[in-house]
Amino acid sequence: MDVDIGNALASVASPGVSREALDRLDEQVADAHERIETGRANAEHGYEALNLPERTDPDEIRAAVDPVADAGALLTIGIGGSSLGAATIVDALESDTETVFLDNVDPEWVAAHLDRLPLDATAINVVSRSGTTAETLANFLVVREAFESAGVDWTERTIVTTGESGPLRDLADRHDLPSLKVPDGVPGRFSALSAVGMVAAATCDHDLDALLAGAAAEAETLTGSLFECPAYAYGATTYALDVRGAAMNAMVPYAESLETYSEWFAQLWAESLGKDDLGQTPLRALGVTDQHSQLQLYRAGPRDKVVTFVRPRETADRSIPETEVEDLAYLGDSTLGDLLTAEFEATEASLAAAGRPNVRVEIDRVDEYELGGLLYGMEAACVLAGELYGVNTFEQPAVEWAKKATRGLLGGGRFEEAEAVADKTALRIER
C-alpha cells in the first residue's frame, strides 16, 4: 500500500503535524521498529502476527477445505477476530460461493439465514481459539440442530479452526473432522492471514498464495523510518494527530468491495489501542455513500477527527449513457469510474480546504495480492502505534470483563462481573 500524509501536515490542517515534529517522531519510530523486530524474531505473543506471511501454510488450508470443495455456500461461525478478517477477504473478492458469517446471536437473524440456505450444499466453518466462546458455540449448536432437522449430516460438512485443546478440538477429534490450528501468539484480530481468515478464502477458491505474497511484500517495507515505510507512516501520523486532538479516525474506503474492511479496521484499532484512557476511536464509513451523510460533520464539525481514505487506483468501469436532459449532458461523456474518482478527489480537497486532516491510502487494485498487503500494512501500523502509545497492543481486558459477566448471567459460574450488572443506575422515562 502507498500512503500520502500531505493533508495531515500542520501547514495544511488543524490539528496537524509539522515536518519538524515528524522528524522528532521518526526517532521514536526507529526505537519502536527495533522492539517490533525483536518481538518477531523471538516469536513473542502478538508480534508473531507479523510473521504470518512466512508461517501460514496454504497447502494445509486447501487440504482441510477439500472435502467441502463442492459447497455452494459457506456458513462461518465466529465472532470478532474469528470472523472479520475472513469476511473482509471474501467480501472484497468475487466468487460463486455464497458466504454467510454468523457473528451475532440475534435469534431472528440467525433463523432467517438457516431457513434460507440450502443446507445440503452448505459448508460449516466454526472458528474459536478456546472452543468456549459463548456466541460461537451457541450458534454452532443451533446450526448443528438445523442440519440434523434437515436430514443433513453436519459432520460431512464441517471444518473446525481452533486451539490445541478445548471443546471444539475434542469435537473435531471425536468426529474426525477436518481441522486447522489457530496460530499460537496471534490475537484474533491479527489473524486474517492465517487459517482463521483464509479457510473462507480457500472455500471460495481465492488465491491464498497471492494473499500471502502481498503480505510478505508489505513486510519487506518495514524499516526504522516512517519516511521509508507506508505502514509506519500511517501508524505514526495517526498517533501524532490523536495526541494533537484528532481522537477519532474515520476509515472511508472508496470501493464498495472494501466496506467490510472498515469493520475489520475498527476492531483492530479499537481493541488494540483503547487502553489506559488512550487510543483513537475508529469510525466506519463508505465513499461515496457516506460523504452525503457524514461529510458535513467531518468538514464543519469539531476538529477532533482524521479521515482516512482508502482507494484502489484501478477498477472495472462502465460508461454512463448519454441523455437529452441538458443539465445532465456532461455525464454522458463520463464513466462511473470517472464519477467515483471525481467524488473522491472533491471530498479529499474539500476537507483540505477546510483545514481538516486526512490521509490517503492507495492500493493498485482490489485483488488477493493487494488485499494481503493492505491487511498486513494496517496490522503493522497498529503495532507501531501501540508502541508509540506505550500500551499493550495485544491484550483486551475490557472485553474479558464483559465475557465473564455474560457467562455469569447465563449460570456458567459465579463472577463478580455478573454481580455488578445488578448495580446499574436507572432513570426511566416511560410512556
Side-chain angles (χ1 to χ4, degrees), residues 55-105:
R55 299 273 203 269
T56 300
D57 183 352
D59 290 332
E60 182 182 36
I61 296 170
R62 283 187 284 258
V65 166
D66 187 63
V68 295
D70 62 339
L74 173 68
L75 192 60
T76 297
I77 308 170
I79 196 166
S82 295
S83 173
L84 282 171
T88 295
I89 295 170
V90 300
D91 286 353
L93 304 169
E94 293 185 2
S95 172
D96 292 332
T97 303
E98 181 181 1
T99 54
V100 174
F101 291 84
L102 291 189
D103 56 359
N104 199 323
V105 292

Side-chain angles (χ1 to χ4, degrees), residues 292-313:
H292 286 272
S293 65
Q294 298 178 28
L295 180 59
Q296 176 65 36
L297 175 67
Y298 298 164
R299 193 176 194 272
R303 292 180 178 270
D304 58 359
K305 288 172 282 294
V306 56
V307 176
T308 300
F309 296 109
V310 178
R311 73 157 186 168
R313 296 188 181 99

Side-chain angles (χ1 to χ4, degrees), residues 87-312:
T88 295
I89 295 170
V90 300
D91 286 353
L93 304 169
E94 293 185 2
S95 172
D96 292 332
T97 303
E98 181 181 1
T99 54
V100 174
F101 291 84
L102 291 189
D103 56 359
N104 199 323
V105 292
D106 181 328
E108 291 186 0
W109 180 78
V110 171
H113 279 303
L114 292 176
D115 290 343
R116 179 183 61 79
L117 286 172
L119 300 186
D120 59 345
T122 298
I124 303 168
N125 175 31
V126 56
V127 188
S128 169
R129 178 193 299 274
S130 66
T132 61
T133 307
E135 301 89 346
T136 299
L137 270 293
N139 273 337
F140 179 58
L141 291 172
V142 169
V143 167
R144 193 170 71 175
E145 181 182 59
F147 271 66
E148 290 172 346
S149 297
V152 180
D153 186 350
W154 62 270
T155 67
E156 297 293 324
R157 314 294 302 168
T158 300
I159 304 164
V160 172
T161 307
T162 190
E164 290 184 350
S165 61
L168 278 182
R169 175 58 59 195
D170 294 341
L171 180 81
D173 292 343
R174 186 163 62 252
H175 293 282
D176 194 25
L177 305 177
S179 64
L180 292 158
K181 186 173 175 292
V182 176
D184 293 331
V186 179
R189 59 191 176 277
F190 287 91
S191 64
L193 295 167
S194 73
V196 173
M198 295 174 68
V199 164
T203 307
C204 294
D205 201 28
H206 295 311
D207 190 338
L208 307 190
D209 297 284
L211 275 164
L212 294 172
E218 201 69 36
E220 290 295 319
T221 71
L222 301 186
T223 66
S225 173
L226 70 91
F227 298 110
E228 299 173 359
C229 172
Y232 287 172
Y234 184 77
T237 300
T238 51
Y239 160 77
L241 288 171
D242 182 18
V243 170
R244 289 159 176 76
M248 301 183 190
N249 187 341
M251 179 57 67
V252 189
Y254 266 72
E256 190 81 23
S257 59
L258 294 177
E259 183 174 15
T260 307
Y261 155 79
S262 65
E263 297 182 28
W264 171 85
F265 175 85
Q267 184 196 9
L268 178 75
W269 219 244
E271 199 166 78
S272 299
L273 304 178
K275 321 275 170 64
D276 304 331
D277 296 326
L278 299 170
Q280 203 174 42
T281 301
L283 309 174
R284 301 179 305 190
L286 177 67
V288 298
T289 302
D290 287 311
Q291 73 188 50
H292 286 272
S293 65
Q294 298 178 28
L295 180 59
Q296 176 65 36
L297 175 67
Y298 298 164
R299 193 176 194 272
R303 292 180 178 270
D304 58 359
K305 288 172 282 294
V306 56
V307 176
T308 300
F309 296 109
V310 178
R311 73 157 186 168

Side-chain angles (χ1 to χ4, degrees), residues 126 177 186 318 325 359-360 379 424:
V126 56
L177 305 177
V186 179
R318 183 157 187 161
V325 179
V359 176
R360 181 194 291 199
E379 289 179 3
K424 177 191 177 302

